[in-house]
Amino acid sequence: MDDINITGLAIEPAENVTRILTREEQMREEHRKLHELHKGHESMHAEMLIILMVTMIVAQIVLLEWKRRHFKSFQVVTSLALWLIPFIMSIRMSYWRFIVFWTLFSLITGLVVRKALEKPLQGSTPRLVYKWFYFIYKLTYVLGIVGYFIMVAAFFGVSVVFNVNPAVWMDYGLIIMYYGLYFGVLGQDIAEICASKMAAHLGYYTPQGMPTRSLDKNICAVCGNKLLVNAGEEGIIESTFQLTCDHTFHEFCIRGWCIVGKKQTCPYCKEKVDLKRMFRNPWEKPHVLYGQLLDWLRWFVAWGPIIMSIIQFINYILGLK
């Protein structure tokens, strides 16, 4: 009887025999198929690597030359790319949370920019503009730090204490840090444009050449309003800051000009500002470093996707996979 059963199993059709693969076996099989698919493509991969390196180098040279020769157009195109590309990618990937925050930021910032570009410029507008962008600057600074520490905590397993999967903390930390960095970069670019336009409309600043109006000693060249106290005196509402060129400004205005507007020259005579002298407090120096970090990240956010799209298009034209 046992022999009959064994014989029956032996002659059972193969299509009726099912084999259950474990997850590890499935991954091994997928890896084998991927290896077979790309077998003999070593030369093609080398070509793709060369195209990647050459395109990155050429793009960097072109962008640097463009920025040096035509800074204004470079600034405008970079800001537009920085503003639109993440939004378009979020629509394609249905990242609705980012779309909501992006829309709110764009609406409020659009109203602020509209006031900054008005002619004639109202006396209260510069301070309003700097307050908004300084708020964005500090908010994004905090978000970047919070997101970073959440990711570090997840890496060291702190989330396990709260019975949370470390991957969840890592995802939220990355999202928060990205929001901080992205809106920080975008806010700084728009603030820089507004700072130049407002100062030029007031007549105390021109991108090239000397100012069109003479500056009175008791007038701030950034906002055009009167100074409340003399330099060195402690102000009740706001103090006055004097640069090494002897021109004086509202402390909040010159900080907004240097930090938010990314200007490192006097708004009136264009003499270089000594940032170390302005930010003597050690707690304020990280803000300057954070501003430099945003400058470095701008290239990756605005131009990174464009350059990678160009590389993919070149590979497609050459038939490389």
Side-chain angles (χ1 to χ4, degrees):
M1 188 69 179
D2 291 337
D3 294 336
I4 295 175
N5 289 338
I6 293 174
T7 305
L9 289 173
I11 64 174
E12 188 175 356
E15 58 268 22
N16 294 333
V17 178
T18 59
R19 181 182 179 187
I20 301 176
L21 297 177
T22 65
R23 181 173 178 81
E24 183 179 353
E25 291 173 332
Q26 290 177 351
M27 292 178 63
R28 190 182 299 111
E29 181 67 17
E30 291 176 359
H31 179 75
R32 186 190 65 78
K33 291 180 179 179
L34 185 65
H35 181 74
E36 289 292 331
L37 180 64
H38 290 272
K39 187 176 181 180
H41 290 184
E42 289 79 8
S43 60
M44 184 180 295
H45 294 164
E47 292 179 17
M48 294 175 67
L49 180 60
I50 293 174
I51 291 173
L52 173 65
M53 295 177 62
V54 171
T55 305
M56 295 286 285
I57 294 172
V58 172
Q60 185 71 8
I61 294 174
V62 171
L63 291 175
L64 290 175
E65 284 297 313
W66 183 12
K67 183 179 180 180
R68 185 176 66 87
R69 296 173 181 269
H70 306 283
F71 177 75
K72 188 175 181 180
S73 61
F74 173 82
Q75 184 186 42
V76 171
V77 174
T78 301
S79 299
L80 287 175
L82 191 65
W83 181 50
L84 292 175
I85 289 178
F87 177 71
I88 295 173
M89 294 177 63
S90 297
I91 291 179
R92 292 183 59 184
M93 298 179 181
S94 300
Y95 292 157
W96 302 112
R97 179 171 47 196
F98 176 83
I99 293 173
V100 170
F101 285 114
W102 182 93
T103 304
L104 290 175
F105 174 86
S106 298
L107 289 175
I108 299 175
T109 303
L111 295 175
V112 174
V113 172
R114 182 181 177 183
K115 291 187 68 67
L117 300 180
E118 285 180 349
K119 288 185 178 181
L121 191 68
Q122 299 180 13
S124 59
T125 297
R127 297 178 68 81
L128 171 65
V129 173
Y130 281 128
K131 281 182 179 179
W132 167 248
F133 285 112
Y134 197 53
F135 166 73
I136 292 296
Y137 181 85
K138 288 209 165 186
L139 176 62
T140 56
Y141 179 77
V142 172
L143 287 176
I145 292 178
V146 170
Y148 172 77
F149 277 109
I150 291 177
M151 293 176 63
V152 171
F155 179 79
F156 285 102
V158 178
S159 60
V160 179
V161 178
F162 299 92
N163 197 24
V164 180
N165 190 337
V168 176
W169 274 32
M170 188 67 72
D171 290 342
Y172 277 103
L174 183 61
I175 291 173
I176 293 173
M177 188 171 68
Y178 173 77
Y179 279 24
L181 295 176
Y182 171 72
F183 288 109
V185 172
L186 186 59
Q188 274 213 334
D189 274 8
I190 300 175
E192 183 178 8
I193 297 174
C194 290
S196 298
K197 292 294 183 181
M198 288 188 302
H201 290 169
L202 286 171
Y204 295 114
Y205 170 82
T206 55
Q208 298 88 17
M210 293 298 294
T212 57
R213 293 169 57 189
S214 60
L215 179 66
D216 295 335
K217 291 185 177 181
N218 63 336
I219 296 296
C220 174
V222 175
C223 67
N225 295 323
K226 291 185 177 181
L227 300 171
L228 302 178
V229 295
N230 295 325
E233 296 181 4
E234 189 69 24
I236 299 176
I237 300 177
E238 186 175 16
S239 301
T240 301
F241 191 89
Q242 186 175 30
L243 300 180
T244 53
C245 58
D246 294 333
H247 293 126
T248 53
F249 309 89
H250 294 119
E251 186 177 9
F252 185 84
C253 289
I254 195 62
R255 285 174 181 269
W257 176 266
C258 293
I259 298 179
V260 182
K262 295 192 303 180
K263 306 293 185 181
Q264 297 187 19
T265 57
C266 172
Y268 185 73
C269 67
K270 298 182 181 64
E271 181 176 318
K272 188 172 180 61
V273 175
D274 185 4
L275 295 179
K276 293 181 180 179
R277 177 175 170 268
M278 180 178 293
F279 304 108
R280 294 178 179 177
N281 189 337
W283 293 104
E284 293 177 331
K285 291 181 180 180
H287 291 282
V288 180
L289 297 177
Y290 179 64
Q292 295 173 350
L293 173 63
L294 297 185
D295 290 338
W296 299 332
L297 291 172
R298 180 176 292 98
W299 188 89
F300 295 100
V301 177
W303 295 108
I306 296 177
I307 295 174
M308 292 306 299
S309 298
I310 294 174
I311 294 173
Q312 291 178 358
F313 178 75
I314 295 174
N315 291 334
Y316 174 77
I317 292 297
L318 298 179
L320 303 176
K321 297 181 181 179

